[in-house]
Amino acid sequence: MVRPIVLLFLLCVPSSFAVKTSDFKTCAQAGFCRRGRALASRAQDNASWKSPYSVDSSSISVAPDQALFTAGVKSSLYPDIKFSLDVRIHDDGVVRVRMDEVDGLRKRYDEAASWALIAEPKLSREITWTVGNKDVRAIYGAKKENEVVVNLEPLRISLLRNGKEQVVLNGRGLLHMEHFRTKEIPRPEDTPEEGLDEDDVQVVMQVKPTAWFEGETEDGYWEESFGSNTDSKPKGPESHSLDITFPNHGHVYGIPQHATRLDLPTTTGENATYSDPYRLWNSDVFEYLASSPMSLYGSIPVMHAHSAESTVAIFNAVASETWIDVDHPTTKSSSTHWISESGILDVFLMPGPNPDEIFKQYTRLTGTPALPAHWALGHHQCRWNYISSDDIRSVQKRFDEHDMPVDVFWLDIEYAEEHKYFIWDKKTFPDPVDMTRDVEALGRKMVVIIDPHLKRTANYPVYKEASDLGVLVKSKSGDAEYEGWCWSGSSAWIDFFNPGAWEWWKGLFKTTSQGDKWSWVESTENTYIWNDMNEPSVFNGPEISMPRDNIHYGGWEHRDIHNINGMLLPNLTSQALVARSDPPKRPFVLTRSFYAGSQRFGAMWTGDNLGTWDHMAVGIYMVLANGIAGMTFGGSDIGGFFGNPEPEMLVRWYQVGAFNPFFRAHAHLDTKRREPYLLDEPYRGMLRDILRLRYTMLPIWYTAFHDASIYGIPILRPVHESIHFLMMPHYVVFPRDEAGFSLDDQYFIGGSGLLVKPIVHKDVTEIDVYIAEDQVYYNYFSHVAYRGSAKGKHVTVPAALHEIPLLIRGGSILPTRERPRRSSPLMKRDPFTLRVALDKTGYAKGQLYLDDGETFSHLEGNIVWREFVAEKTVKKAKTIKITSSDLVSKNLDTAVDGVSLTKYDPLNAFARSVESVRVEKIVVLGLSSKPVSVKVEGGEELVYEFTPGVAAEGKKEGQASVLVIKDPGVSITKDWAIVIQA
Ligand SMILES: *[C@@H]1O[C@H](CO)[C@@H](O)[C@H](O)[C@H]1NC(C)=O
Ligand SMILES: *[C@@H]1O[C@H](CO)[C@@H](O)[C@H](O)[C@H]1NC(C)=O
Ligand SMILES: *[C@@H]1O[C@H](CO)[C@@H](O)[C@H](O)[C@H]1NC(C)=O
């Protein structure tokens, strides 16, 4: 969503897209960032630079029965200021380091982690700290491979693995926590004004604040202006900065959201790609750049550092504005510098040692992604705006006329009268419930936007109730409601940090009357929600957001909580959607703003992108970066929010979207209509094929989502080595293959074995795909077999406009549903096809997860979770047996915390309801010879067709042999075996 002012500009110059960079600060325009960077450059120029911070050894206190020690920290700069250090090791080996100012003039915000974490982590009771003269250390791990060393003077914290440093805090001596201080007010005799009384005369408490470490001047300590806005900074300087180095890791990834490559380009050093650090300050950036370290809508301060030897990660649980410099002092090392405006220092070090373990460690902290409703993986059609209920009806009709599947129709802000969310504009939507019922007829849903700003008018009950409850954000004085400008004109913002807002907000979504209190009776249980503008976006605020000195619940300034702010709204909205129905249904909430932990509440998208090839490409990197930081349910707007993509671009964009977890087309008010049925042939047919392909693959996606949602649960054993996140970049799947560390334009779908490389350029007819292993990969469509190499190999894959480079990794079994339907709920009883892609040894494996797709009864064991295996009956024999077995009982012989799957019964109600669903076709790729018999074990000979393979010849790739077994008559819920005798 964009500001109308700039819309005019867009209309005038439709071809020149560009962010108004002057709307947003550079590091040099933010006092604390300027100070942090200046500190780093002074350190760099000073050969004798030494951190002034040290641990007071007399104050070290080790907890008697858990891996925790605390100590006082002092700074040689300010001997009177006290800091505390708290270092703990969790039972899974994650190290948490906290530092705060003690007995300061004020208290620092210390609640960022509590919003992100699912629970207070358990500390290890086995690991013990050893206190020495120079350091405190602990050795742990199954083979005693990990060691944490806290050097006392200067303070330096390192995590080692097998004696090699993995992460070092303050190794460059840039740690600095600016203590709270009193503003020096001139003495009465120095001032011309009268009437200053005794209390106003503040004594300068400390030594001159411009100590060598802090530079020459009090730069931006007490007040700052940007554009026409002035930040009053009543608390003065309280920033903190910390260098985090990865001495043995040459690649760093993560810290979304930025429009940049997955392998983060450098921001400092001789050949830096960007001159500014990566910024985390949730912002509504109009027409963002396709390559930039600028802030975008969400912030997840999580970074992976990777090498062929190991992966480590950090989560810096800070909620205030943060800038991060990235450099590689050598090709094998990474050096980062984190500068934050306020709050305590609270950093989690995840020891890895591989991406798989990092994901587990991170999801144990912040939770796994929620398992969405099945329909949410379908095709979403959005536009700003479908202008009336009849518009929705006619768009639906046209999708059906053109046999194009779609699950969800979306309404942007114009459905709401004067942008008063929840209130339909009756001129255009006279019959909202009837309209929704019409959409529901084919199992479809509606998603409607609800933003966190409320029109300030007494005739808007939602505003009135919030105001009466006193749950609106306050302006800097702390007593008046903050008033800003947004879609609804003069607006107020709900303060979701205020517990008083929580139950009230949940009540708003009830579809039945609540008497005097507002409830949304003009919605149905199939009205789901889009939370936009929750950075928050404020059209007339500093950097299009709220003033930093606004006051939230508990007296905290907006600056202290800004990056978390956007997470609370989708949290409560998703709770509201669960609460409105009985039995509860899984919620769907799309959010634009997010933070660490947001994966528990729903989906995100990459915001207001542009219809350009660059944006198409960067959208993939962004969704990958979000995924490795836990926020896996993501996608970017198909076609680009702005602009009128030509048909070729639109076709490519649907191909990209079909391989994103979240698959939505959206467009700006000023764009031409571009629903897929509007294109001419051959493009229209291509779009229909892509939409159908997505629906064919829903079982693969749903299984991958299920994997992601249970991954933190240790006992569940994944089929492949690392299955959990939906879009898996190469370094995750092949952590030792250096050639893949910077790859971000091809990726695997969960643990399915599907490798896709969407085309993001014009006029492409073929493309290079990288295969990282000595394994056969099959073209999904043509069954051409590509043989990789242990050293890595590039193969050429056809990629004309109607073709998507999509390979199946040998060793995988893919379940699909191939009957074209208009929406996913209509596929519930459709039969399955299994694609068995044999690896070079004749082996393959895959899984399928099913449940009712909409309630929580899967948590009571109402599921079907199958494993398929194809293997030789005896080593070296030619006979291959494909089996289907129950994966749940294999995994669930022990109770699992929090998930009551132990109640699982193979004959559960859901399984019984789909008992008659059968496998209608099995396609086996890569058999070495024609079978002489294909039978269900203990049964009849089956009907099959065999096409022999064609060996590779010279430069030409080979063609895999294809065996198609027709209607083997086996159920998807039962154990069975099919024997292919060669
Ligand atoms: C260089 O660092 C040392 C501390 O090791 C400090 O005493 C000195 O003042 C610094 N010099 C400059 C120019 O900052
Ligand atoms: C920076 O680039 C120049 C020119 O390509 C090269 O000679 C130099 O080694 C590079 N420096 C670093 C630190 O990579
Ligand atoms: C957000 O969700 C979590 C559950 O994941 C809950 O414990 C927490 O209280 C929620 N926060 C708010 C503000 O409701």
Side-chain angles (χ1 to χ4, degrees):
M1 215 45 65
V2 292
R3 285 159 301 134
I5 326 146
V6 199
L7 274 180
L8 296 174
F9 162 81
L10 176 75
L11 290 173
C12 306
V13 204
S15 57
S16 70
F17 293 119
V19 62
K20 229 170 122 199
T21 43
S22 60
D23 279 347
F24 300 94
K25 288 184 186 175
T26 59
C27 173
Q29 289 165 323
F32 75 94
C33 187
R34 203 161 57 225
R35 300 197 293 274
R37 261 195 158 183
L39 183 73
S41 72
R42 284 197 303 279
Q44 181 140 19
D45 298 341
N46 183 344
S48 62
W49 186 271
K50 188 167 159 268
S51 172
Y53 291 90
S54 60
V55 175
D56 173 0
S57 53
S58 67
S59 69
I60 297 172
S61 161
V62 178
D65 58 352
Q66 48 184 7
L68 161 68
F69 88 85
T70 56
V73 166
K74 51 188 195 223
S75 158
S76 61
L77 297 176
Y78 299 107
D80 298 335
I81 305 293
K82 289 187 253 162
F83 300 94
S84 64
L85 179 72
D86 173 318
V87 187
R88 41 184 78 201
I89 307 175
H90 302 165
D91 57 6
D92 63 352
V94 170
V95 182
R96 182 177 189 180
V97 177
R98 264 188 286 193
M99 186 171 145
D100 193 2
E101 186 181 342
V102 186
D103 302 332
L105 290 178
R106 298 182 183 85
K107 187 173 150 40
R108 287 170 175 270
Y109 185 69
D110 63 0
E111 291 166 25
S114 66
W115 295 104
L117 301 182
I118 37 175
E120 194 55 43
K122 289 201 183 77
L123 299 197
S124 166
R125 299 192 170 271
E126 270 126 53
I127 304 168
T128 45
W129 291 103
T130 309
V131 182
N133 286 337
K134 295 198 161 142
D135 54 48
V136 179
R137 44 179 81 212
I139 295 180
Y140 63 97
K143 296 183 185 143
K144 304 274 169 236
E145 67 279 20
N146 297 324
E147 184 172 20
V148 183
V149 181
V150 179
N151 296 103
L152 306 184
E153 187 173 4
L155 171 61
R156 178 185 193 274
I157 301 173
S158 53
L159 173 67
L160 295 86
R161 181 177 168 76
N162 297 327
K164 256 192 170 178
E165 284 189 323
Q166 306 290 301
V167 194
V168 180
L169 308 185
N170 201 31
R172 289 157 65 201
L174 305 183
L175 168 68
H176 189 33
M177 183 170 271
E178 294 174 333
H179 63 278
F180 288 113
R181 38 196 114 188
T182 310
K183 186 173 181 179
E184 187 177 343
I185 291 179
R187 291 170 181 284
E189 59 264 31
D190 302 337
T191 60
E193 284 118 313
E194 296 289 307
L196 265 183
D197 65 24
E198 203 65 7
D199 289 347
D200 290 331
V201 184
Q202 309 273 342
V203 181
V204 183
M205 287 190 28
Q206 285 86 38
V207 295
K208 197 173 176 321
T210 52
W212 64 273
F213 198 72
E214 296 195 318
E216 307 282 302
T217 54
E218 286 196 344
D219 178 12
Y221 277 26
W222 300 104
E223 191 180 272
E224 277 189 88
S225 293
F226 181 67
S228 56
N229 288 284
T230 299
D231 174 6
S232 66
K233 297 183 75 166
K235 294 188 288 176
E238 55 165 319
S239 78
H240 56 79
S241 63
L242 176 67
D243 59 277
I244 304 180
T245 49
F246 306 97
N248 293 297
H249 300 89
H251 300 262
V252 287
Y253 313 104
I255 52 168
Q257 187 179 32
H258 300 100
T260 191
R261 303 303 297 239
L262 179 66
D263 186 358
L264 291 168
T266 54
T267 62
T268 50
E270 205 183 332
N271 298 327
T273 305
Y274 301 126
S275 55
D276 247 25
Y278 293 98
R279 186 185 191 201
L280 296 176
W281 174 255
N282 297 344
S283 307
D284 180 0
V285 181
F286 177 76
E287 293 182 348
Y288 62 80
L289 300 171
S291 172
S292 167
M294 283 174 73
S295 272
L296 289 172
Y297 313 90
S299 297
I300 308 183
V302 168
M303 180 182 271
H304 288 202
H306 184 72
S307 75
E309 277 172 29
S310 66
T311 320
V312 285
I314 63 120
F315 165 37
N316 186 350
V318 62
S320 63
E321 179 178 1
T322 297
W323 297 78
I324 305 143
D325 266 319
V326 170
D327 190 13
H328 299 294
T330 66
T331 53
K332 301 256 179 233
S333 67
S334 306
S335 142
T336 68
H337 182 208
W338 300 61
I339 311 165
S340 302
E341 187 177 16
S342 72
I344 66 162
L345 198 71
D346 193 354
V347 183
F348 297 80
L349 313 180
M350 289 167 264
N354 51 46
D356 202 38
E357 290 299 322
I358 297 283
F359 289 138
K360 287 189 203 161
Q361 288 152 5
Y362 183 63
T363 53
R364 276 198 287 267
L365 291 172
T366 65
T368 53
L371 179 65
H374 184 269
W375 58 263
L377 312 186
H379 167 215
H380 298 251
Q381 180 64 46
C382 186
R383 176 172 179 86
W384 178 26
N385 218 90
Y386 288 119
I387 54 166
S388 65
S389 25
D390 284 341
D391 194 6
I392 286 287
R393 289 185 178 100
S394 82
V395 171
Q396 158 153 287
K397 186 158 166 271
R398 301 213 50 198
F399 268 102
D400 288 341
E401 281 165 3
H402 287 272
D403 285 326
M404 291 179 163
V406 57
D407 266 69
V408 194
F409 294 111
W410 289 57
L411 290 175
D412 208 321
I413 54 174
E414 311 303 340
Y415 82 88
E417 183 190 86
E418 299 177 298
H419 302 139
K420 294 181 293 196
Y421 307 104
F422 300 96
I423 313 269
W424 294 94
D425 186 335
K426 285 298 175 67
K427 290 193 295 298
T428 43
F429 292 88
D431 53 353
V433 170
D434 287 347
M435 170 192 70
T436 310
R437 299 279 178 231
D438 288 344
V439 165
E440 286 167 8
L442 287 172
R444 295 191 178 122
K445 322 287 180 215
M446 301 264 352
V447 171
V448 173
I449 205 165
I450 300 279
D451 288 349
H453 53 265
L454 302 179
K455 190 174 182 69
R456 298 180 75 236
T457 157
N459 74 8
Y460 181 25
V462 180
Y463 166 71
K464 179 88 176 34
E465 289 180 11
S467 183
D468 291 349
L469 272 174
V471 295
L472 295 168
V473 177
K474 307 282 191 297
S475 58
K476 69 180 172 195
S477 60
D479 34 59
E481 269 171 35
Y482 169 66
E483 187 252 327
W485 201 259
C486 205
W487 291 120
S488 41
S490 170
S491 303
W493 275 261
I494 300 162
D495 181 8
F496 287 102
F497 288 90
N498 189 333
W502 300 349
E503 285 311 308
W504 165 74
W505 182 255
K506 288 199 259 175
L508 301 181
F509 292 83
K510 293 242 182 279
T511 56
T512 49
S513 166
Q514 296 197 103
D516 291 348
K517 277 166 62 195
W518 175 263
S519 64
W520 208 6
V521 292
E522 286 188 303
S523 71
T524 84
E525 286 180 9
N526 287 314
T527 309
Y528 292 87
I529 303 300
W530 174 12
N531 285 154
D532 196 14
M533 310 293 280
N534 49 334
E535 293 76 23
S537 176
V538 181
F539 295 157
N540 62 341
E543 301 191 87
I544 332 293
S545 193
M546 242 176 215
R548 285 158 201 260
D549 45 12
N550 269 7
I551 302 295
H552 288 263
Y553 180 74
W556 296 109
E557 286 185 284
H558 185 68
R559 88 183 75 245
D560 298 319
I561 54 83
H562 177 87
N563 282 347
I564 302 179
N565 184 75
M567 173 160 76
L568 273 55
L569 171 66
N571 181 354
L572 290 156
T573 306
S574 66
Q575 291 183 42
L577 299 189
V578 173
R580 75 181 171 184
S581 51
D582 184 21
K585 284 192 180 156
R586 281 176 236 171
F588 175 84
V589 178
L590 178 75
T591 180
R592 191 168 70 182
S593 189
F594 51 88
Y595 184 72
S598 286
Q599 67 269 19
R600 308 195 295 267
F601 313 121
M604 58 71 63
W605 91 110
T606 63
D608 298 344
N609 59 354
L610 274 56
T612 67
W613 293 100
D614 283 353
H615 271 262
M616 193 189 303
V618 80
I620 297 174
Y621 320 146
M622 290 165 80
V623 178
L624 282 171
N626 274 304
I628 65 155
M631 193 70 202
T632 57
F633 193 3
S636 47
D637 280 342
I638 294 168
F641 181 60
F642 300 106
N644 294 305
E646 76 265 17
E648 176 183 355
M649 186 188 281
L650 204 54
V651 170
R652 290 305 194 190
W653 215 316
Y654 271 90
Q655 294 174 349
V656 168
F659 289 92
N660 269 342
F662 177 57
F663 182 32
R664 183 183 78 156
H666 184 32
H668 188 275
L669 196 66
D670 294 325
T671 60
K672 292 194 200 114
R673 289 259 172 151
R674 50 162 119 114
E675 287 70 23
Y677 50 76
L678 291 175
L679 272 73
D680 292 329
E681 293 296 354
Y683 307 107
R684 186 167 62 214
M686 292 178 189
L687 294 190
R688 182 185 299 113
D689 290 347
I690 299 163
L691 295 174
R692 286 184 173 177
L693 181 67
R694 170 73 175 204
Y695 279 72
T696 296
M697 296 197 161
L698 288 177
I700 298 171
W701 280 108
Y702 198 56
T703 302
F705 267 88
H706 173 249
D707 276 328
S709 73
I710 59 171
Y711 202 68
I713 302 167
I715 141 172
L716 298 167
R717 179 184 48 85
V719 176
H720 287 293
E721 258 171 37
S722 42
I723 305 178
H724 8 268
F725 283 59
L726 299 165
M727 283 169 63
M728 308 229 298
H730 257 256
Y731 83 92
V732 170
V733 184
F734 301 102
R736 289 171 198 282
D737 177 30
E738 310 238 2
F741 291 173
S742 299
L743 268 193
D744 51 11
D745 57 359
Q746 59 175 68
Y747 56 89
F748 289 84
I749 307 298
S752 68
L754 271 182
L755 172 63
V756 65
K757 179 162 181 171
I759 302 300
V760 292
H761 298 284
K762 206 174 156 51
D763 292 333
V764 174
T765 55
E766 56 179 34
I767 192 113
D768 181 288
V769 175
Y770 177 69
I771 298 180
E773 58 183 334
D774 177 16
Q775 186 54 270
V776 57
Y777 279 62
Y778 303 90
N779 189 308
Y780 184 88
F781 305 100
S782 66
H783 304 144
V784 166
Y786 305 91
R787 186 67 183 255
S789 142
K791 285 185 258 142
K793 191 173 155 189
H794 294 265
V795 300
T796 304
V797 176
L801 189 53
H802 65 284
E803 292 171 309
I804 304 171
L806 180 63
L807 307 185
I808 315 173
R809 184 184 188 184
S812 318
I813 300 182
L814 301 174
T816 54
R817 280 178 147 161
E818 314 215 330
R819 309 238 167 138
R821 298 283 178 194
R822 288 169 174 185
S823 70
S824 69
L826 302 178
M827 301 171 82
K828 264 191 179 145
R829 318 211 131 259
D830 282 354
F832 285 85
T833 293
L834 297 179
R835 255 183 202 69
V836 179
L838 296 173
D839 72 8
K840 55 182 186 176
T841 72
Y843 180 84
K845 196 168 173 176
Q847 56 165 295
L848 170 69
Y849 172 81
L850 292 172
D851 59 22
D852 71 15
E854 55 178 352
T855 71
F856 290 93
S857 88
H858 61 296
L859 298 178
E860 263 118 51
N862 280 302
I863 67 175
V864 169
W865 191 14
R866 310 294 302 176
E867 180 175 67
F868 309 108
V869 176
E871 60 193 331
K872 294 187 169 163
T873 45
V874 260
K875 252 200 179 144
K876 300 229 168 129
K878 282 188 158 178
T879 300
I880 286 182
K881 189 159 145 179
I882 305 172
T883 53
S884 165
S885 59
D886 174 27
L887 194 52
V888 201
S889 24
K890 260 194 211 171
N891 276 315
L892 295 178
D893 37 12
T894 320
V896 179
D897 259 16
V899 178
S900 50
L901 279 174
T902 41
K903 286 184 202 157
Y904 177 76
D905 167 5
L907 291 177
N908 64 71
F910 173 74
R912 284 199 312 272
S913 76
V914 291
E915 214 164 34
S916 61
V917 173
R918 60 187 212 290
V919 176
E920 66 172 344
K921 189 161 85 173
I922 299 178
V923 181
V924 184
L925 303 175
L927 279 177
S928 53
S929 58
K930 183 174 167 48
V932 294
S933 140
V934 178
K935 280 184 183 172
V936 175
E937 199 169 48
E940 298 285 292
E941 195 68 28
L942 296 172
V943 179
Y944 62 90
E945 223 168 67
F946 181 76
T947 316
V950 179
E953 210 184 290
K955 283 198 125 184
K956 208 170 167 302
E957 299 288 349
Q959 186 79 30
S961 73
V962 184
L963 169 73
V964 179
I965 305 171
K966 291 179 187 161
D967 208 357
V970 289
S971 159
I972 201 68
T973 67
K974 302 267 170 63
D975 289 3
W976 46 257
I978 288 174
V979 182
I980 304 167
Q981 207 184 325

